[in-house]
Amino acid sequence: MFSDLTPQEAQFRDRVRAFAQERLAPTALERAHEPHYPWDTAKLLADEGLLGLTVPKEDGGQGATLMEAVIAIQEIGLACPKSADVVQAGNFGALRTFAEYASEEQKARYLPGLLSGQSLLALGMSEPETGSAITDLHTTATRVGDEVVINGTKVWSGYSADAPLFLVYVRFGPGVGGIGSVIVERDTPGFEVGEASAYMSGELWAPLQFTDCRIPASNILLGEGGFKRQISGFNVERIGNAARSLALAQLAFEIARDHVAAREQFGRPLMEFQGLQWKFAEMSVALDGAQLLLERAARGASGGLPSAYDTAVAKLASNETGFRVAHEAMQAMGALGFSSKSLVEYCFRRTRGWMIAGGSTEILKNRIAEHVFDRRFSQRPS
């Protein structure tokens, strides 16, 4: 799966692979159909040192590279797709942004629980009227003395049904420069986690409602002018998204490959039919190409953060390849791949969602085009 690992990276891959195959793979299907966050798995991964990989050692993390975090999430995903989500939450998403920009006091208060698998930080970004148009967000944060008063609504927040902590994007003032973020604890008065809804991935997401919700000013992660820094941190979220897409696609590919090698129809193995041979050849080429783009983004990260262009290219290629390969793997397996007793069916559903989450494929194409033409293309009416 990986193109050119250093001896240290190869040793790390082998260690993670052995752990994942022994401790996670046997119960992967059962775990995939559990809608709630697997706290026991989070503790297991934390004990193995697989949470907070890129967090500096002085902050309680492992001090690893972004490439090593990609290796971890892909090896875990190949063994147990749902466990890869835990690696994502403990390395790439809101936690990575928090670890990058939190104050020393904030780190001391929240990182120990997050890195031990005993806590979880969910992201409150999208709103009912602002999905991809994130700079149009309406959730307000008003400073009142030593407190911040929050009002607004968030939707499509991963892990919202279970997370004790939320990293919430808010508006301190007008324009892009007025956007920042705050940390809100689940039991804060004025903050309500609504009724959760089930999505195609099997996850439960709940709306977040803030009504005169008061938090201490010390819970501000990034104040006015913090939006661009938040988005640069969010590029790491997209790397994790891309890595999971490819890991699940590779898993579906391998399951389907073994199936067509063993399954006989019309008196011979399915793999002897040229139509299926071409499918698997095309899938193999697509997986290799997307993997190289993902590794380029991870290895090119400056200061631990990948470039916007490399990230957009990697996520677009990985998302499209991930869903296409899962789709073709299911088709090759027929009804067996369509069954909920197969991880291929889960990989199909999961990879489809990542074409929307974390920046849709259409938004990514806009960003790539801006790089190609070296200019900004506004999507707003003139």
Side-chain angles (χ1 to χ4, degrees):
M1 190 171 195
F2 299 98
S3 60
D4 186 23
L5 299 182
T6 67
Q8 178 180 330
E9 289 169 344
Q11 185 179 35
F12 177 69
R13 176 204 59 197
D14 293 344
R15 177 174 73 82
V16 176
R17 179 178 295 174
F19 161 77
Q21 293 298 328
E22 178 184 352
R23 303 296 300 275
L24 301 173
T27 51
L29 184 61
E30 175 186 341
R31 199 176 285 110
H33 294 293
E34 169 53 53
H36 289 283
Y37 187 74
W39 292 103
D40 56 339
T41 302
K43 181 64 166 59
L44 187 64
L45 289 164
D47 290 345
E48 190 65 20
L50 295 176
L51 302 188
L53 279 164
T54 61
V55 174
K57 290 183 178 180
E58 55 266 31
D59 291 329
Q62 303 298 319
T65 65
L66 182 56
M67 186 61 205
E68 287 172 318
V70 166
I71 291 170
I73 200 170
Q74 291 196 289
E75 288 297 334
I76 296 295
L78 274 169
C80 176
K82 185 64 175 284
S83 295
D85 293 344
V86 180
V87 180
Q88 166 81 4
N91 288 285
F92 293 92
L95 182 140
R96 185 63 180 81
T97 302
F98 175 81
E100 183 73 20
Y101 299 116
S103 67
E104 293 304 314
E105 186 274 333
Q106 290 171 338
K107 291 177 183 179
R109 194 174 0 148
Y110 295 123
L111 271 181
L114 293 169
L115 300 184
S116 66
Q118 297 176 336
S119 188
L120 175 65
L121 182 63
L123 181 66
M125 179 186 288
S126 297
E127 298 181 358
E129 302 303 323
T130 58
S132 296
I134 187 61
T135 55
D136 289 346
L137 65 84
H138 300 290
T139 299
T140 60
T142 305
R143 296 174 187 257
V144 180
D146 293 333
E147 293 183 319
V148 176
V149 181
I150 306 169
N151 283 282
T153 304
K154 297 292 182 180
V155 292
W156 307 313
S157 174
Y159 310 119
S160 49
D162 300 296
L165 297 171
F166 294 81
L167 171 61
V168 183
Y169 279 48
V170 294
R171 180 172 293 287
F172 289 98
V176 175
I179 297 175
S181 57
V182 295
I183 303 297
V184 183
E185 298 180 8
R186 191 182 189 92
D187 59 357
T188 303
F191 174 37
E192 179 182 357
V193 179
E195 182 178 356
S197 299
Y199 285 76
M200 183 178 176
S201 62
E203 294 176 295
L204 296 174
W205 295 348
L208 312 177
Q209 182 65 48
F210 301 90
T211 306
D212 292 333
C213 173
R214 291 177 175 266
I215 62 170
S218 59
N219 274 33
I220 296 174
L221 182 68
L222 288 168
E224 296 92 332
F227 179 73
K228 290 185 178 180
R229 284 186 288 167
Q230 288 176 173
I231 290 300
S232 67
F234 191 66
N235 282 333
V236 181
E237 158 82 15
R238 290 176 170 172
I239 291 294
N241 178 308
R244 283 182 295 167
S245 292
L246 289 183
L248 269 63
Q250 184 71 36
L251 175 60
F253 174 89
E254 292 178 5
I255 293 172
R257 179 199 60 200
D258 294 347
H259 171 80
V260 301
R263 171 82 164 166
E264 291 191 1
Q265 292 284 276
F266 305 104
R268 57 178 174 153
L270 288 173
M271 67 178 176
E272 294 186 4
F273 290 90
Q274 189 178 64
L276 281 172
Q277 293 170 12
W278 286 8
K279 276 184 184 292
F280 281 87
E282 291 168 353
M283 285 190 277
S284 183
V285 170
L287 285 167
D288 280 354
Q291 180 69 25
L292 288 170
L293 291 170
L294 171 61
E295 291 181 26
R296 181 183 73 173
R299 291 198 184 281
S302 176
L305 300 177
S307 77
Y309 174 75
D310 285 351
T311 300
V313 170
K315 185 178 184 296
L316 176 63
S318 299
N319 286 169
E320 291 188 338
T321 295
F323 181 64
R324 173 189 167 194
V325 169
H327 171 267
E328 293 286 18
M330 177 183 287
Q331 187 69 17
M333 292 183 66
L336 290 175
F338 195 61
S339 168
S340 60
K341 293 183 179 181
S342 168
L343 279 172
V344 170
E345 176 267 350
Y346 178 76
C347 293
F348 172 84
R349 291 187 287 112
R350 203 73 178 93
T351 53
R352 183 62 186 87
W354 289 323
M355 298 176 75
I356 300 170
S360 71
T361 52
E362 292 80 9
I363 289 294
L364 296 172
K365 289 176 182 178
N366 290 342
R367 297 293 172 262
I368 294 168
E370 290 177 348
H371 179 88
V372 170
F373 293 102
D374 194 24
R375 58 165 289 189
R376 171 80 170 155
F377 293 108
S378 176
Q379 305 302 312
R380 306 179 189 282
S382 56

